Amino acid sequence: MAKIAYILLCHKDPEAIIQQAEQLTAVGDYMSIHFDRRAKPEDYASIQKALANNPNVCFAKTRIKCGWGEWSLVQATLHALHSAIEEFPRATHFYMLSGDCMAIKTAEYAHDFLDRNDCDFIESFDFFGSDWIKTGMKEERLTYRHFFNERKNKALFYASVNLQKKLGLRREIPGDLQVQIGSQWWCLRRRTVECIFDLLAERKDIIRFFQTTWIPDETFFQTLVRHLVPGSEIDSRTLTFLMFTDYGMPVNFYNDHYDLLLSQDFLFARKISPDAKELKLRLGRLYAAQGVSFQISNEGRSLYNFLVKRGRIGRRFATRFWEKESSLGRERELMIVVCKKWHVAKRLIEQLRQSTNIPAIDYLFHEEGTPLPDLGGIQASLSKRTRHRRALMRMLFEYFDTNRLIICMDPSALELMNDFNSDRSTTRTLQIECDFSDDYLIGHAHRVGLAGERTPQQSLERLLPTIRNDIVYESDRIRDSGYSNYTIIRESDSAEENADRLAQFFSLPFETAKDLAQTPHLFAD
């Protein structure tokens, strides 16, 4: 059976460290602690005293001062790993942790998971070929030597890099290494860690190289594991669940995140807020529990993105400078059918195609596979269609040789609607207001990734009001936009009422409009 030695790098909150160590070693696992030498000596002394009688805890024999982005973080990890290798010969896996991490599965679950998956869990993506680094330095991290900390000595950091560039002091990467990059939160097998130490004993050039790279904790172990271990024995993922905000800062978890965390396909989570006392208490008890089953739905990241973006809808579809003076044509009429239930709008449009000769296109700005004519490539992708939307619509008017055209849109595309309604052409907006049952909203949550097949019913019940309010909010935004040619039909209204509005909107005879309103199963889910 798997036995885990946790490698803990920490620098504060001695009480939390003691509690974390006691919780994780209570069921037979181990912990090796490196406490930053910059921290208060009395804090380290209190940790040593509290854990002195715990045979499953050891301390790095050498403590060093650590700094973000520096080699010191890797060196501290190696010191803690070396102590763990010596002190815990029965440890089969070594799991990297910080003081902000907590288990979101039981030890029983974690051990069984590692027994069933004989591999190393570490993110390792090609440094130069991947887009893992989103902003800031990339190859300069490796090809120049870094002697200063960017956060503490920003001026010296960049002056040093610029001087090396000017003097042509670009250095070579060790020829046999293919540098990898990924999260510093990994779980490695014992034989992998032993191979790393054997390699470092022979290859001092590797240590010399990484000692002056920038943020080596994202490249050192990632590169060496991929260098030493066959790709079939590496799962390029972290077992620690973490998320980042748009500003690159870690998302904190609070008391009401307990169910969400347990449903993620990870063993630990980071960062648990210091104020989340109840969450810490519940997760602390969880690790030693037995017989707990977990319903894995893994919707955490998509749910977070959905919730945080509701309150700050931006100008994603803002008009590009080359489109400001363009127009669909003063004599043309664009009719936009807006509906959250796409299948309802599609049924109405299909019936309209059979009853009239007005060209009608489904959700061309939302569905990649919407049938479109070849327009020279502008129709090839959703991003191109959106970026060149006015040009696309002009070409569609010309292709169908018409001055009247119908398209479908999702209510979320308000910026697109605003853009077309500001054009010199005539733009009409028909909103189809549907009823939404709880079953439909649950299905919608599954389709867009807000919930998984095993999301607990309790979590779904808490999510439903948010989704329902979001749909209402989108609808209200369209009404509040004050479009001059706006019409609405409702599922709750009679076919005669809807037919009268459809006749006016599409300029159709009432009988034709009535056939549209009575489209079989128009509002059925």
Side-chain angles (χ1 to χ4, degrees):
M1 175 185 287
K3 292 184 77 68
I4 306 169
Y6 292 105
I7 309 301
L8 179 64
L9 264 57
C10 48
H11 64 281
K12 61 180 181 179
D13 202 351
E15 292 183 5
I17 293 169
I18 294 167
Q19 186 179 50
Q20 187 180 29
E22 291 175 341
Q23 289 169 349
L24 294 179
T25 59
V27 291
D29 286 323
Y30 311 105
M31 178 173 286
S32 179
I33 300 173
H34 180 280
F35 194 73
D36 196 332
R37 197 175 173 187
R38 294 183 191 275
K40 297 177 181 178
E42 55 268 29
D43 286 347
Y44 182 55
S46 67
I47 296 171
Q48 284 187 305
K49 181 179 180 181
L51 299 175
N53 296 322
N54 189 331
N56 288 1
V57 174
C58 72
F59 295 86
K61 292 181 173 58
T62 304
R63 290 171 58 219
I64 60 174
K65 296 178 180 180
C66 297
W68 185 89
E70 297 178 4
W71 166 255
S72 54
L73 287 176
V74 177
Q75 187 64 70
T77 305
L78 290 172
H79 287 324
L81 268 174
H82 190 268
S83 295
I85 285 281
E86 287 187 344
E87 297 292 333
F88 308 128
R90 296 180 62 194
T92 61
H93 293 77
F94 298 84
Y95 196 120
M96 185 73 179
L97 285 181
S98 77
D100 297 318
C101 299
M102 289 200 72
I104 56 174
K105 298 290 185 293
T106 60
E108 183 180 62
Y109 181 99
H111 295 158
D112 179 67
F113 178 87
L114 294 176
D115 284 338
R116 288 185 287 106
N117 296 276
D118 185 20
C119 61
D120 297 304
F121 292 91
I122 182 169
E123 280 190 352
S124 53
F125 302 102
D126 183 81
F127 185 92
F128 297 99
S130 72
D131 63 347
W132 199 87
I133 299 175
K134 303 298 183 184
T135 59
M137 282 187 174
K138 188 168 184 179
E139 65 179 59
E140 291 92 341
R141 289 192 187 189
L142 308 176
T143 55
Y144 296 105
R145 295 171 178 83
H146 300 275
F147 305 102
F148 303 99
N149 188 298
E150 193 265 352
R151 290 189 173 182
K152 297 177 182 176
N153 300 291
K154 190 178 292 289
L156 289 174
F157 179 89
Y158 288 105
S160 171
V161 173
N162 291 332
L163 181 61
Q164 291 179 70
K165 288 182 179 179
K166 185 176 181 179
L167 297 177
L169 298 179
R170 183 184 178 95
R171 64 172 176 173
E172 295 297 324
I173 299 169
D176 59 334
L177 294 185
Q178 183 177 357
V179 180
Q180 305 288 306
I181 190 166
S183 168
Q184 64 269 53
W185 311 111
W186 38 254
C187 177
L188 303 179
R189 296 168 297 177
R190 186 181 191 92
R191 62 176 176 269
T192 300
V193 174
E194 291 173 341
C195 286
I196 289 174
F197 278 111
D198 290 342
L199 178 66
L200 295 179
E202 299 174 3
R203 295 283 304 276
K204 301 301 182 184
D205 61 309
I206 293 178
I207 292 181
R208 285 196 299 271
F209 174 76
F210 281 102
Q211 277 178 332
T212 52
T213 60
W214 181 233
I215 320 182
D217 54 320
E218 293 180 350
T219 55
F220 180 79
F221 290 100
Q222 296 78 359
T223 300
L224 296 192
V225 171
R226 186 67 69 172
H227 181 73
L228 294 167
V229 178
S232 59
E233 296 182 23
I234 299 174
D235 191 336
S236 187
R237 56 167 290 201
T238 174
L239 295 179
T240 299
F241 179 60
L242 66 162
M243 297 188 295
F244 291 91
T245 68
D246 291 348
Y247 305 101
M249 301 300 292
V251 173
N252 282 274
F253 298 109
Y254 295 91
N255 292 334
D256 57 349
H257 289 135
Y258 180 80
D259 291 330
L260 180 142
L261 291 176
L262 265 59
S263 66
Q264 305 312 303
D265 190 18
F266 296 86
L267 302 184
F268 279 75
R270 182 181 188 273
K271 289 184 165 184
I272 308 300
S273 170
D275 298 323
K277 305 296 184 185
E278 181 184 346
L279 177 62
K280 286 188 172 186
L281 181 63
R282 297 178 73 183
L283 291 178
R285 293 171 177 168
L286 175 69
Y287 193 69
Q290 293 185 338
V292 180
S293 60
F294 297 92
Q295 301 297 317
I296 306 299
S297 57
N298 225 28
E299 78 283 6
R301 290 193 174 99
S302 58
L303 179 58
Y304 173 78
N305 289 334
F306 167 72
L307 292 174
V308 298
K309 290 177 181 177
R310 289 175 64 247
R312 47 183 174 83
I313 299 170
R315 297 285 298 173
R316 180 180 176 189
F317 299 119
T319 305
R320 272 63 177 179
F321 71 91
W322 64 82
E323 294 184 319
K324 285 185 181 292
E325 300 304 322
S326 64
S327 173
L328 306 187
R330 192 181 298 276
E331 74 285 357
R332 286 172 172 161
E333 183 179 30
L334 177 65
M335 290 169 278
I336 304 174
V337 177
V338 182
C339 187
K340 195 66 178 178
K341 291 185 177 180
W342 294 6
H343 56 277
V344 173
K346 288 180 180 181
R347 287 182 191 136
L348 182 72
I349 292 303
E350 181 57 36
Q351 185 67 31
L352 188 73
R353 292 192 189 101
Q354 297 176 17
S355 305
T356 72
N357 59 358
I358 307 173
I361 304 172
D362 294 341
Y363 288 82
L364 74 165
F365 292 108
H366 306 281
E367 287 187 305
E368 198 93 48
T370 300
L372 290 170
D374 186 353
L375 302 173
I378 195 174
Q379 83 294 340
S381 66
L382 290 178
S383 61
K384 283 188 176 182
R385 297 174 201 171
T386 303
R387 189 181 312 122
H388 308 293
R389 51 191 174 275
R390 291 197 182 188
L392 172 67
M393 298 312 301
R394 288 198 306 272
M395 294 174 76
L396 287 171
F397 274 110
E398 292 166 3
Y399 176 85
F400 289 111
D401 192 21
T402 182
N403 284 332
R404 302 185 75 205
L405 183 66
I406 303 169
I407 62 173
C408 296
M409 279 192 192
D410 187 89
S412 62
L414 184 66
E415 296 297 337
L416 282 171
M417 295 177 226
N418 286 341
D419 186 34
F420 287 128
N421 273 276
S422 67
D423 191 75
R424 290 195 294 268
S425 63
T426 300
T427 302
R428 299 180 179 276
T429 306
L430 171 67
Q431 185 170 357
I432 304 177
E433 188 176 274
C434 302
D435 298 333
F436 294 92
S437 65
D438 286 351
D439 288 340
Y440 177 85
L441 293 179
I442 291 172
H444 174 72
H446 286 295
R447 286 189 292 274
V448 300
L450 297 179
E453 294 182 2
R454 298 180 179 180
T455 299
Q457 184 63 30
Q458 186 178 11
S459 298
L460 285 172
E461 290 173 357
R462 288 204 302 266
L463 183 60
L464 287 182
T466 303
I467 299 176
R468 191 180 297 279
N469 290 338
D470 196 64
I471 292 174
V472 173
Y473 172 68
E474 288 179 346
S475 178
D476 287 344
R477 290 172 70 213
I478 296 172
R479 296 185 195 180
D480 294 342
S481 296
Y483 299 144
S484 56
N485 298 297
Y486 172 81
T487 304
I488 185 169
I489 64 172
R490 298 180 176 86
E491 180 177 356
S492 58
D493 290 345
S494 66
E496 287 73 17
E497 291 174 308
N498 287 335
D500 185 57
R501 296 166 192 156
L502 290 171
Q504 294 180 37
F505 181 81
F506 291 116
S507 301
L508 297 174
F510 180 78
E511 290 302 319
T512 304
K514 188 174 182 180
D515 289 339
L516 286 180
Q518 293 177 335
T519 299
H521 313 294
L522 176 59
F523 292 101
D525 290 335

